[in-house]
Amino acid sequence: MQIGKSSEDYLEAILVIQQKKGYVRSVDIAHYMNVSKPSVTRAIHELSKMACAKKQEDGYIILTDQGRMIAEQIYERHCFFRKHLLAAGVDPETADQEACSMEHGISSESFQKLKEATEI
């Protein structure tokens, strides 16, 4: 499945918030991503159509199995690039921003090879 950068960012945000708080609400995503609540509503609607996330009747947002798999892959990339940028001396805020850009611009195959090359 091919999804865009924005959708990947939302999936990653849901995963991170879920890990930190144990639950996810629209307002949590809006705050985490610094976007408006209507933007979150639109994104969750699109993610629901892609069968990646859904809003439950109680208002909590959950990832589907497919959404969790994508989110975990994106978050792994983010952590990998952030870790290596920090190790290279990049300041934390810049490392976080640039890791976010890098996580979307690399193929799965290239990321796997890069990961294997850095484990040596």
Side-chain angles (χ1 to χ4, degrees):
M1 170 190 295
Q2 194 74 350
I3 66 171
K5 177 189 178 307
S6 177
S7 294
E8 288 179 348
D9 285 341
Y10 277 97
L11 290 173
E12 182 181 6
I14 294 166
L15 178 70
V16 170
I17 295 165
Q18 173 68 43
Q19 290 174 342
K20 286 182 182 176
K21 296 180 84 170
Y23 61 89
V24 182
R25 301 168 301 165
S26 293
V27 67
D28 300 320
I29 299 169
H31 179 47
Y32 181 86
M33 296 182 70
N34 198 26
V35 297
S36 69
K37 211 166 165 250
S39 294
V40 174
T41 301
R42 281 190 301 277
I44 298 305
H45 179 74
E46 288 302 311
L47 290 171
S48 293
K49 289 194 311 191
M50 292 185 276
C52 289
K54 57 186 171 183
K55 188 169 188 176
Q56 298 180 305
E57 287 187 27
D58 60 8
Y60 292 111
I61 297 163
I62 61 168
L63 294 171
T64 63
D65 289 341
Q66 177 174 279
R68 177 168 300 284
M69 183 186 74
I70 295 167
E72 287 173 348
Q73 289 172 350
I74 296 301
Y75 189 56
E76 177 188 19
R77 292 177 186 189
H78 181 94
C79 293
F80 174 87
F81 288 121
R82 185 177 193 279
K83 172 184 158 189
H84 288 281
L85 289 167
L86 290 171
V90 176
D91 73 271
E93 187 175 325
T94 301
D96 207 39
Q97 291 170 354
E98 291 181 354
C100 191
S101 295
M102 296 166 92
E103 70 194 31
H104 302 290
I106 188 168
S107 70
S108 295
E109 182 180 350
S110 293
F111 177 68
Q112 191 60 39
K113 289 186 183 297
L114 185 59
K115 207 168 87 169
E116 289 168 6
T118 59
E119 290 173 356
I120 297 172

